[in-house]
Amino acid sequence: MLRLKNVSKYYYQDGVIASGFTKVNLELHLGEFVVITGESGSGKSTLLNVLSGLDSYEDGEMYINGEETSHYTEEDYLNYRRKYVSNIFQNFNLVNSYTVYQNIELTMLMNGKKRKDIKKYVYELIAKVGLNKYKHTLASKLSGGQKQRVAIARALANDTPIIVADEPTGSLDSESSKEILKLLHEISKDKLVIIVTHNKSEIEGYATRLIRMHDGKLLEDKIIKEVNLDSHLEEKKVSNITRLNKLRLGIRNTFNIPIKFTLMFIIFLLISITLITNYGGFKQSEYETNTLGYNNYFANNDSKRIIVTKNNKEPFTNRDYELISSLENVDYLVEDDLLLDYNIGFFSDNLYLSGTILNEDVNKVDVGKMPTSSNEIVVKGNPDNWYLSDMLSSLLEDKFTVDAFNGTKYAGKIKIVGIIYDNEANYYDELEFLLNEELLNDLTLSINERYNKVTYILNDNYFSLNNNMDYFGIKVSDNINSGEIYLSENFNIYCKDYNCLNNTFKIISENIYEKREETYKITNIFNSDNCKKILGINYEDASNYIFISRSDYNKLFNSSNYQSSIFIKEVKDLESTVNVLNNAGYNSLVMKDAQINDGATALQVIKILKLVATIILIIALFFISYFVIKIIYKSRNSYYTTLRTLGSTKSVCINILMKELFTIATITYSLFLIFIILVNKNILDFEYFRFITKYIEIKDYILVYLILILLSVLIANRYGKKVFKNSIIKTYGEKI
Ligand code: ADP
Ligand code: MG
């Protein structure tokens, strides 16, 4: 039983109170077919809205099955509607972009029904309202009468004891009107049906009770036909839409209005492009700031270089080299990278050349020829480099000595036989030298000697050498046999009878990784008289050195390799490669961490400014896109209000919208990523995107996706709040 006791409804508008209806007393029962008539403005709609819980009332009390409702909150009203009331409107309020089937199904999905369980029933209802031919026709394509049939089927699907219809035939021609009223009558047997109509004559055969309103009051309340009244209105069991169906509706809503899909696609695409390009630019400048530095240790500061050592401090084995070379992003591996960082010098009588050792495969030169012996080298540099332009003839004619090389093996014997031009190098850049394998090996040993700590032991006297003080340095002489050592007479003070001949002499060579120890027999003591004869050089050049054979020298300093360098293909893979290396038991150092950023403060400031600009852009993007999306979704107000009349809570509405936005964001972003992949694989030619994504890593792409998702969540929440801010009646009125 639905009962009104002295109920009044007022409207407050612009400070003026208007009355909808006043002091209405009414008792309605199951089984009644109540028809309300009255002139326009007499309060019929207002009364129906209050009865169906679409609007609140100010005075009096409304009882549902004896329960008071005046204290009802928004949520209580929602539950009341869900349990008791279905509405049929003059302008149908169907979802125009759904088919007949989907419109009816929607009601049942909102009531928590499973899709497969309701199929048969939906078809039955469609048959009942005579729309078999239009099952899968869009609601927008139907005539007014057909639309109202769908609305009736939907009300039936909702399965509530009360059906409220406000001028259901108001927009229909008289033929359709008759059919609709007949249909309403047919379904009214075990329900309470309340309808408002202007047309009394149409309704006469059906009404069991007639109420006439005038100026907000009941003028007449006449029982026309006694029916079997049931005073209790059986409330419907309600449950909420399932998670899966929320997702289904979200996905359905993504595609069901093509123009909306297109607009949203464009917006999300623009957001993705703006975020990625800006972020890419930011990463790039960050990268430049990091690498615009110098360091004292590494002559080769290629940003793609990673220096690798083993965690357990053991030398590299072939297994290590294989493992490292096979890593995904590795371009190539330089097993012993000592020479990468070596600044080599060559001097002749006229010239001093310095530079790094060329570290790539070369098979042709621009001037001259490829080297054929270990004394022949090739020089690479910018064509405008002073040595390669003005001094070219001297360069090609002179004989050079390797600076700081131990021994006389190459002294005055090096010839430059070829020149390679490198237009990418600056004209003032250092030169690069292509050296033969033998020369490289000799150089490595020579460098090892300088980097190692070398100690001599002669009769319990320790002599330590270090790089800065060449106190009795080691030299190689080809006149000495293996196992023998020649000392200058300066050493004699450390031996018995001032004679070291035939004593033993120990040399220890060590670095942080390993230690080598060799013992030699002193077989010759040289002095100013015999030096030239024994060693072939002047005593002044020999007095502060000890001399051993080339093979012994090699044995001492041919240390194992403890450090390698890899060069990766793409700078953006730097971090992930470092992670892989670390997990595989290696230490790694990347060049940007080895740089000293002197005077980088200015760059730091630029970097911060760029970051601020990026953040401002993202915020602006949020507001712009929200604004545009809000406009697009304004046309969706009626959809969400319809969901509301079907018993949807605010959170369900927000959730369905969120899933729709997720879907479109994901589709758009996936397509954008495929585009980026194709560009990076050179299948599509968009230089700009290739350039801008150079430094963007996978985690950055994920971050941008998360920003899109965050944007969707914020929009869905704001929009949902807006839709639920006003009453259903008001929101419907606002729809465009
Ligand atoms: P009917 O449906 O019988 O034509 P209504 O119930 O729509 O009449 O209106 C009853 C009275 O309430 C009218 O005087 C109307 O002006 C007023 N009214 C209805 N809706 C509003 C509203 N949203 N704001 C202010 N006054 C309203
Ligand atoms: Mg009205």
Side-chain angles (χ1 to χ4, degrees), residues 549-572:
S549 70
R550 170 63 63 188
S551 64
D552 284 343
Y553 181 88
N554 288 0
K555 226 194 264 176
L556 267 180
F557 298 111
N558 181 17
S559 37
S560 308
N561 185 32
Y562 294 89
Q563 182 187 300
S564 295
S565 280
I566 56 173
F567 290 81
I568 57 170
K569 289 176 197 147
E570 301 275 354
V571 173
K572 66 178 168 191

Side-chain angles (χ1 to χ4, degrees), residues 673-736:
L673 286 187
I674 291 172
F675 169 77
I676 295 289
I677 290 170
L678 292 180
V679 163
N680 274 296
K681 286 200 182 309
N682 288 324
I683 296 171
L684 293 177
D685 189 23
F686 285 87
E687 186 50 37
Y688 175 69
F689 283 100
R690 188 162 27 240
F691 172 75
I692 207 74
T693 54
K694 209 166 142 191
Y695 299 104
I696 300 183
E697 300 164 64
I698 289 182
K699 67 171 198 282
D700 303 324
Y701 285 112
I702 295 172
L703 181 71
V704 170
Y705 180 63
L706 291 180
I707 291 177
L708 290 184
I709 292 299
L710 180 68
L711 189 63
S712 305
V713 171
L714 289 179
I715 289 169
N717 269 299
R718 284 198 69 157
Y719 182 78
K721 280 195 191 117
K722 258 202 83 173
V723 169
F724 274 76
K725 208 172 81 191
N726 292 316
S727 73
I728 291 178
I729 291 304
K730 194 147 178 242
T731 320
Y732 261 140
E734 273 173 0
K735 79 169 188 230
I736 343 173

Side-chain angles (χ1 to χ4, degrees), residues 11 13 18-20 39-47 166-167:
Y11 289 108
Q13 206 178 29
S19 143
E39 70 273 26
S40 182
S42 58
K44 307 181 296 292
S45 295
T46 310
L47 180 62
D166 191 354
E167 305 198 32

